[in-house]
Amino acid sequence: MRQSILFFLLLLTIGCSPVSRIARLVRTDTRYTDHLTGVALYDPVRRKALIQHNADQLFTPASNTKLLSFYAGLLYLPDSLPALRYTIQNDSLIFWGTGNPLLLHPVLSDTSVLAFLRNRSETLFFSPVNYTGPRFGAGWAWDDYNDDYSAELAQLPVYGNVAAFRRSGAHDRLPVSPALFADSMLVDTVRRTGIRRDEFRNRFRLSTTPANRQEVPFRWSPELATRLLADTLHRAVAILTRPMPAGTRLLRGWPADSLYKRMLHVSDNQFAEQILFMASAEQGHPQLDPARVRRQVVDSVLHYAGTKARWVDGSGLSRYNLFTPNVFIDLLGKIQAKVPQQRLFTLLPAAGQSGTLRSVGDHQQTPYIWAKSGSMTGVYNLSGYLQTRRGRLLYFSVMNNNFSQSVSEMRKRTAELLRQIHERL
């Protein structure tokens, strides 16, 4: 009898543990049951899964996908990013793009390529033939072409592949960068607001009351890229359709961490996509093949089965991507194994403090969450690292799909769940 009572008390104690109470909350509270919710919580020190709720269910990850692109960069890119591949033949310098997105970028501009080309005595030729893939990722919404988060994929991005319209002061004129597009604007009296580009050419239609600030992707082409580059260098750059031979030289640019940090903090889609281009360029193949890099990471490095992971783009714009919460738990462990914690927590947004997590949690409190969010209509996910009040560092992935409420509402619910984990564990 005494043993039965002790056993009952033991079960009662286990059932009332903080982890059990939080797990029960996730299973029963309507804040987490009125849509598809997945929660995985893991203690890496004890190597123990603490919460498993739909943790092997496939979810649309949105920008949580960028964690895989980040890991691909850690695997294949050195400390300095590849900027150009080139060869010298007689009095000609022929170069090929590596997918590096920082050339003349409006926010994070790497001047390595400009300084290198400006000081060369050879005639400059750009060969665009090392990438013949699509301008958009698989499953991207075609009508998003005008939105700043859908910049086109390219082997030699320039100006971030966006035209930036910014009015300063009360002037009627609306300046644009690159200035080359100043003659490509016209007023559309039918449009009421904003700026819209023609789908297949660089003609920008301004409404009668255009916004003071708007970024619109432009149609990338080798001709446009060389013209913009030539305008900046003040010297000719011609196009030469020549395959990239073996033994080309590699020019390096800025530190990789500068790109990783912006990609993770502001969820820069182009940076995430172009990481896969640069990873391909680093391997020296004659063709840039981001799909090959994705296959290498998922199949050969992470060994994720098709039932647990489907990775189709670098940014997470595609709804074809599918991952489970447990995939992200495993990935977080592999990322931490490659990056010292201080550096890692600088690269990731901190809840309440920086980047896309600035509005998550209390900005006056010491951060205890470092993570990557991902959102689109009906999707809000957050995966990363959480430090409890007692100092335990845990991995977590909270995935919300198929909801009709606002993303901000799901953000609040997720933050509250993580606050309870922080307070109770």
Side-chain angles (χ1 to χ4, degrees):
M1 180 68 177
R2 179 181 176 83
Q3 288 180 334
S4 298
I5 293 174
L6 290 174
F7 181 69
F8 174 77
L9 291 174
L10 178 61
L11 288 178
L12 185 64
T13 301
I14 294 174
C16 293
S17 70
V19 169
S20 297
R21 286 198 295 270
I22 294 172
R24 187 182 306 116
L25 179 76
V26 171
R27 291 194 307 270
T28 61
D29 194 302
T30 55
R31 288 176 296 177
Y32 310 109
T33 60
D34 64 359
H35 62 283
L36 181 60
T37 303
V39 179
L41 184 67
Y42 182 78
D43 185 334
V45 174
R46 297 165 60 190
R47 298 183 179 180
K48 182 179 180 181
L50 303 179
I51 297 177
Q52 291 278 288
H53 178 70
N54 290 330
D56 288 315
Q57 171 76 43
L58 289 167
F59 288 79
T60 300
S63 284
N64 268 203
T65 305
K66 291 182 175 69
L67 289 172
L68 281 99
S69 297
F70 176 41
Y71 186 62
L74 296 174
L75 286 175
Y76 299 121
L77 296 178
D79 292 340
S80 297
L81 297 171
L84 280 184
R85 282 201 174 273
Y86 70 97
T87 189
I88 298 171
Q89 296 183 2
N90 301 320
D91 60 350
S92 300
L93 186 149
I94 308 166
F95 62 92
W96 294 261
T98 61
N100 190 312
L102 302 185
L103 177 60
L104 296 169
H105 192 276
V107 177
L108 200 65
S109 182
D110 181 357
T111 58
S112 304
V113 169
L114 298 178
F116 173 73
L117 295 179
R118 186 176 285 125
N119 294 322
R120 302 299 303 198
S121 60
E122 300 90 351
T123 304
L124 302 180
F125 293 94
F126 167 55
S127 176
V129 299
N130 65 330
Y131 178 67
T132 56
R135 63 190 176 109
F136 290 151
W140 288 15
W142 70 268
D143 57 344
D144 286 352
Y145 76 87
N146 198 71
D147 296 319
D148 58 2
Y149 53 79
S150 290
E152 294 187 5
L153 309 177
Q155 63 271 53
L156 188 71
V158 283
Y159 289 93
N161 285 357
V162 296
F165 299 85
R166 292 184 176 90
R167 191 194 309 275
S168 57
H171 303 292
D172 291 335
R173 188 175 64 87
L174 186 63
V176 60
S177 176
L180 177 68
F181 294 130
D183 295 331
S184 301
M185 299 185 292
L186 59 88
V187 175
D188 186 344
T189 56
V190 177
R191 292 191 59 79
R192 291 183 176 273
T193 58
I195 302 166
R196 191 163 187 87
R197 195 199 80 214
D198 289 358
E199 184 176 357
F200 296 110
R201 61 176 172 173
N202 289 318
R203 184 166 66 178
F204 302 89
R205 299 177 181 273
L206 282 61
S207 65
T208 52
T209 56
N212 288 331
R213 181 187 180 96
Q214 186 175 342
E215 293 185 347
V216 180
F218 55 70
R219 283 304 311 268
W220 186 94
S221 68
E223 294 76 16
L224 176 61
T226 52
R227 185 175 175 186
L228 291 171
L229 187 55
D231 285 352
T232 304
L233 294 172
H234 302 295
R235 60 178 298 186
V237 181
I239 295 175
L240 184 68
T241 55
R242 181 167 297 182
M244 190 176 74
T248 56
R249 304 178 193 179
L250 182 61
L251 173 71
R252 296 212 172 271
W254 274 14
D257 276 7
S258 60
L259 182 140
Y260 296 149
K261 184 174 182 179
R262 177 168 175 81
M263 186 263 287
L264 294 168
H265 274 238
V266 305
S267 205
D268 192 300
N269 291 329
Q270 187 196 42
F271 282 13
E273 298 291 347
Q274 301 293 146
I275 283 174
L276 304 182
F277 278 70
M278 289 185 287
S280 181
E282 198 69 45
Q283 296 174 9
H285 300 300
Q287 286 287 308
L288 297 179
D289 190 352
R292 185 203 303 233
V293 174
R294 293 195 302 270
R295 290 193 300 269
Q296 287 175 340
V297 173
V298 170
D299 297 338
S300 303
V301 179
L302 299 176
H303 303 289
Y304 291 156
T307 55
K308 294 185 177 181
R310 183 184 183 190
W311 189 18
V312 304
D313 73 0
S315 60
L317 272 177
S318 177
R319 290 182 182 266
Y320 295 167
N321 293 305
L322 292 170
F323 296 103
T324 70
N326 274 337
V327 159
F328 284 112
I329 294 296
D330 179 72
L331 182 63
L332 290 165
K334 287 181 166 58
I335 290 172
Q336 192 187 38
K338 292 191 72 67
V339 186
Q341 183 169 301
Q342 183 176 359
R343 175 188 168 205
L344 178 58
F345 287 1
T346 299
L347 295 176
L348 285 167
Q353 302 291 321
S354 56
T356 55
L357 299 192
R358 189 179 300 275
S359 61
V360 175
D362 186 352
H363 70 278
Q364 295 181 337
Q365 191 174 21
T366 301
Y368 58 85
I369 294 170
W370 298 265
K372 183 71 194 77
S373 63
S375 63
M376 56 176 63
T377 302
V379 173
Y380 180 75
N381 309 308
L382 191 62
S383 300
Y385 308 92
L386 180 149
Q387 190 169 54
T388 70
R389 186 175 288 280
R390 297 180 182 180
R392 296 168 67 186
L393 186 68
L394 306 176
Y395 305 161
F396 73 89
S397 180
V398 181
M399 306 191 75
N400 302 279
N401 278 196
N402 301 343
F403 54 82
S404 58
Q405 299 91 338
S406 66
V407 166
S408 62
E409 172 61 24
M410 290 300 140
R411 187 185 298 118
K412 286 191 293 185
R413 295 183 187 186
T414 301
E416 173 58 22
L417 175 63
L418 296 175
R419 185 193 66 78
Q420 294 200 40
I421 292 171
H422 167 71
E423 295 287 344
R424 295 185 182 187
L425 300 190

